[in-house]
Amino acid sequence: MKTTLTILTCLFLYSFLQAQNSVSWIQYTEGISIATDMNNNVYTVNYEYNPGGDIHLTKRNADGVFQWESVYDNTDPVLFESSTWVETDHAGNVIVTGTINSGYSNPVKANSIVMKYDSNGVLLWRNVYETFFDGSYTKKCLVDNNNNIYVLGMGSSSNGFVTKIKKFAPDGTVLWSFFDNAGIGVAFNFKFSRDNKLLIVGRSAFGSVNGFAKIDLDGNHIWSQTGLNSVNIGDAAGDSEGNTYLTTGEYVFNGGTLIKKLDPAGTQTWSNAFPFAGLRIEVGNDNLPVVCGFPNSGSGGAAFLKVDQNGNQIWYNADADGSAYNLLMHAQLKIDAYNNAYLAAGTLFEMAICKINQEGNSIYTLTTPGSYANGFSIGADNNIYVVGGATAKITQTPPPQDKILQLSILLEGLYTGNGSMRKALNTSGNQFPENIADQIQIELHDATNYNTLILSLNNVNLNCDGTATLIIPSQYNANYFLTLKHRNSLEIVSASPVSFASNGISYSFDHSNKAFGSKLKSSADGAWLAYSGDINQDGIINELDIQLVYDQTAQFTTGYSSTDLNGDAVVDAEDLILIDNQFGIVQSATP
């Protein structure tokens, strides 16, 4: 009887959740890629596959109402332009990437394209690179917090035709180009890791071999992993500590999935095998990876697996989409702020979105006309916008009320007195927008075991008055140690666990007794500051950090560098004086 009641309860819950999540609208606009802005306007890109064909950018509002279509007019009848990706930036502009192709029945890739439009569909700039008919092409683009643009594709270098990333400033100025010299293969995907770096996924053009690389946002190579035999294309995702999780297929008939963990230097920490066909991986804000794929190699369906930081299985859902769908053509995996996971896929007749929650339970699988899904976006309204053979909106149950964390901290390097900080110069050589001094990272740690990381929030804006406002998902309602990290400041931990039972939480590091181990510095005007000078973020300010600042001073380093302690975009004598003033070794303290 108990088992029967449990089954009935689960069926009722599943039916209830399905009723709370529904397809809101469908518009029969096909698309290669989709993006939404902060006002939940929906942008899709597609192209005409015919001689003289053009790229089409379409905008609809959150209700699906058509706003405009912008078409770049390719006037050469022997060429056609194909779209590859669309993204929005934080100013409401739209970035489109594409490729110029020559011929029709057997087209040849000729050049790479990146274009920027404003929210009214006006073309702001267009860049075709590198040289005429160089054979390059694009795959995807990303936009960072400073509205810089990164484009993944293929291009020619001194080592041949290789995976390439090109970075553009918001005004279209080329900042740098990165070429893969390690041989990771043909560009397949790239993404931001949670430590604000770039992870690149490649695949051999002539065999079943995967390759991976990690670079920083200045185009500097960090590590590469090549020659990983795999029956399927792999994927990678990174946590806020700099670790990377890889997926590859076991190189045997009907094999399973290997999940590998690499440390920040790219050295393998562990590799574990799991008996399903995992294809994609993402890391949530709990710093834990979720893998999605097929239940078995060669079969349809949707299976999700979550592991901990040591590679132990936390949960496994082998039939997330239910027996009615047997999903095919997996296209994209994403994790939202509540650590729910979503898969965009298809049934050959309909587009599909499959959702599971953070415990691995199936929430819904919803389908719409359109044959297949190419991708989706999670809107600022928490609804799902999907594109493929059509464009559609899935309205979700409103999430529980978020918690608001008000935090206060002053950074020694940027402190100007009277409770205020200057604006640091960012990677573009400009000040952060509005009243933002710099960006920090905030972590929640378990109250009884500090080594257990609960939640990590990156790129948090810190205002010039030392305040920051964070949105914390509602499920985090216990007591947690608050940890604050900054690119060149000593890590700070709250003196004791902070209660998150209410929806409004505040904490100020405004006295030495508010930091664990009293690790705050008193200023001449009585303010308490986070020590400046932990350049290599190893938890200690010592001779190694001083040497790093000295070396960068000798090289006349400029820009948004961790050795620039006072945020003026120049590493000079002022920074040396600042770090020398620590008078010896200063070390962080954790519970």
Side-chain angles (χ1 to χ4, degrees):
M1 178 63 72
K2 182 178 179 181
T3 302
T4 302
L5 287 174
T6 301
I7 293 173
L8 289 174
T9 301
C10 290
L11 289 173
F12 172 78
L13 177 61
Y14 184 76
S15 299
F16 174 78
L17 290 172
Q18 288 276 23
Q20 297 296 304
N21 305 277
S22 60
V23 178
S24 175
W25 53 258
I26 304 167
Q27 298 293 341
Y28 291 92
T29 300
E30 297 182 3
I32 297 296
S33 178
I34 189 168
T36 52
D37 63 19
M38 291 305 297
N39 295 315
N40 299 303
N41 294 302
V42 183
Y43 299 90
T44 57
V45 287
N46 206 12
Y47 65 95
E48 305 167 33
Y49 183 33
N50 55 51
D54 302 320
I55 292 174
H56 292 244
L57 171 64
T58 302
K59 178 181 180 179
R60 297 183 183 276
N61 67 16
D63 296 322
V65 178
F66 176 84
Q67 304 296 295
W68 49 256
E69 182 180 64
S70 186
V71 181
Y72 183 83
D73 186 14
N74 162 41
T75 58
D76 192 330
V78 302
L79 303 176
F80 73 92
E81 298 188 355
S82 57
S83 54
T84 55
W85 207 262
V86 62
E87 282 287 351
T88 57
D89 68 14
H90 301 284
N93 301 306
V94 190
I95 316 302
V96 176
T97 55
T99 302
I100 296 176
N101 306 271
S102 177
Y104 176 70
S105 59
N106 189 23
V108 175
K109 294 178 172 60
N111 282 108
S112 300
I113 313 168
V114 57
M115 298 181 286
K116 183 173 183 176
Y117 294 84
D118 69 13
S119 58
N120 295 313
V122 176
L123 180 64
L124 300 177
W125 52 261
R126 170 181 162 104
N127 191 314
V128 177
Y129 59 94
E130 297 292 337
T131 57
F132 178 70
F133 223 99
D134 67 354
S136 67
Y137 62 88
T138 69
K139 188 75 175 179
K140 181 179 178 180
C141 68
L142 297 170
V143 179
D144 67 18
N145 289 327
N146 298 316
N147 295 327
N148 297 303
I149 302 157
Y150 306 79
V151 182
L152 173 70
M154 297 291 290
S156 297
S157 75
S158 58
N159 289 330
F161 196 63
V162 297
T163 288
K164 173 183 179 180
I165 295 176
K166 199 172 188 70
K167 181 177 180 178
F168 299 85
D171 64 359
T173 302
V174 176
L175 298 178
W176 51 256
S177 294
F178 169 82
F179 294 93
D180 164 45
N181 293 319
I184 67 170
V186 177
F188 178 72
N189 192 15
F190 78 148
K191 65 185 70 170
F192 291 122
S193 56
R194 287 192 171 270
D195 64 338
N196 211 30
K197 304 293 192 302
L198 283 169
L199 294 171
I200 315 167
V201 180
R203 176 78 164 174
S204 171
F206 307 105
S208 301
V209 181
N210 292 333
F212 305 89
K214 185 174 184 177
I215 65 175
D216 66 22
L217 300 190
D218 293 320
N220 299 307
H221 178 263
I222 299 174
W223 56 254
S224 296
Q225 288 275 335
T226 61
L228 301 178
N229 292 323
S230 173
V231 295
N232 57 264
I233 297 173
D235 199 8
D239 66 20
S240 64
E241 302 298 323
N243 303 300
T244 303
Y245 297 89
L246 309 178
T247 59
T248 60
E250 286 188 297
Y251 200 59
V252 295
F253 177 73
N254 203 29
T257 294
L258 291 174
I259 302 177
K260 301 174 180 286
K261 181 179 180 180
L262 310 183
D263 68 15
T267 302
Q268 182 173 301
T269 303
W270 50 257
S271 176
N272 291 342
F274 298 90
F276 80 116
L279 301 174
R280 289 169 176 80
I281 187 167
E282 295 293 341
V283 170
N285 56 26
D286 58 0
N287 259 13
L288 299 178
V290 173
V291 180
C292 179
F294 296 107
N296 300 288
S297 179
S299 71
F304 292 80
L305 171 78
K306 187 169 189 173
V307 301
D308 65 20
Q309 293 173 327
N310 297 315
N312 302 307
Q313 178 178 310
I314 298 175
W315 50 253
Y316 176 56
N317 187 331
D319 189 25
D321 59 334
S323 58
Y325 294 103
N326 197 38
L327 292 181
L328 304 169
M329 298 177 291
H330 292 191
Q332 196 171 22
L333 171 68
K334 289 188 177 182
I335 299 178
D336 67 16
Y338 307 93
N339 291 319
N340 303 305
Y342 303 78
L343 169 68
T347 66
L348 295 180
F349 305 99
E350 294 180 302
M351 301 188 298
I353 295 289
C354 176
K355 176 183 179 179
I356 65 169
N357 65 14
Q358 61 176 334
E359 287 83 27
N361 301 314
S362 299
I363 302 299
Y364 65 74
T365 297
L366 291 175
T367 59
T368 73
S371 301
Y372 54 88
N374 282 325
F376 70 103
S377 177
I378 303 174
D381 56 4
N382 197 51
N383 294 317
I384 303 299
Y385 299 85
V386 57
V387 75
T391 306
K393 175 183 178 178
I394 294 175
T395 302
Q396 298 201 98
T397 305
Q401 183 178 357
D402 289 327
K403 299 174 183 291
I404 306 297
L405 170 61
Q406 300 284 351
L407 193 68
S408 180
I409 182 68
L410 294 169
L411 307 177
E412 180 190 12
L414 301 179
Y415 190 62
T416 58
N418 299 317
S420 182
M421 294 182 291
R422 69 175 61 87
K423 293 183 178 182
L425 295 179
N426 62 23
T427 52
S428 301
N430 302 312
Q431 290 181 333
F432 281 91
E434 299 174 352
N435 192 39
I436 299 169
D438 208 341
Q439 292 183 322
I440 57 176
Q441 178 182 333
I442 301 297
E443 296 177 347
L444 306 187
H445 288 252
D446 186 83
T448 58
N449 181 6
Y450 181 81
N451 291 327
T452 301
L453 176 64
I454 303 297
L455 177 67
S456 178
L457 299 171
N458 299 332
N459 304 319
V460 175
N461 289 331
L462 182 66
N463 296 321
C464 291
D465 63 358
T467 61
T469 302
L470 296 82
I471 306 298
I472 306 294
S474 59
Q475 67 260 33
Y476 300 101
N477 51 22
N479 295 337
Y480 308 105
F481 280 104
L482 274 174
T483 297
L484 182 148
K485 298 180 179 180
H486 173 251
R487 60 193 175 103
N488 54 32
S489 298
L490 198 69
E491 177 181 302
I492 302 172
V493 181
S494 59
S496 59
V498 178
S499 173
F500 277 67
S502 67
N503 287 335
I505 309 105
S506 63
Y507 196 86
S508 296
F509 290 96
D510 54 7
H511 195 277
S512 63
N513 61 17
K514 301 294 286 292
F516 193 89
S518 300
K519 294 298 180 178
L520 288 174
K521 183 176 183 177
S522 178
S523 69
D525 64 358
W528 292 91
L529 314 172
Y531 282 96
S532 180
D534 186 9
I535 310 301
N536 58 8
Q537 293 290 283
D538 63 354
I540 188 170
I541 303 172
N542 59 14
E543 292 83 359
L544 293 176
D545 300 294
I546 295 174
Q547 186 64 47
L548 287 170
V549 176
Y550 179 83
D551 291 343
Q552 295 295 295
T553 300
Q555 297 172 24
F556 303 102
T557 299
T558 60
Y560 190 70
S561 171
S562 59
T563 50
D564 174 28
L565 301 184
N566 64 0
D568 63 357
V570 180
V571 184
D572 54 18
E574 292 183 12
D575 301 298
L576 276 174
I577 294 171
L578 185 58
I579 197 169
D580 281 339
N581 283 342
Q582 303 305 348
F583 293 109
I585 294 175
V586 180
Q587 189 166 356
S588 62
T590 59

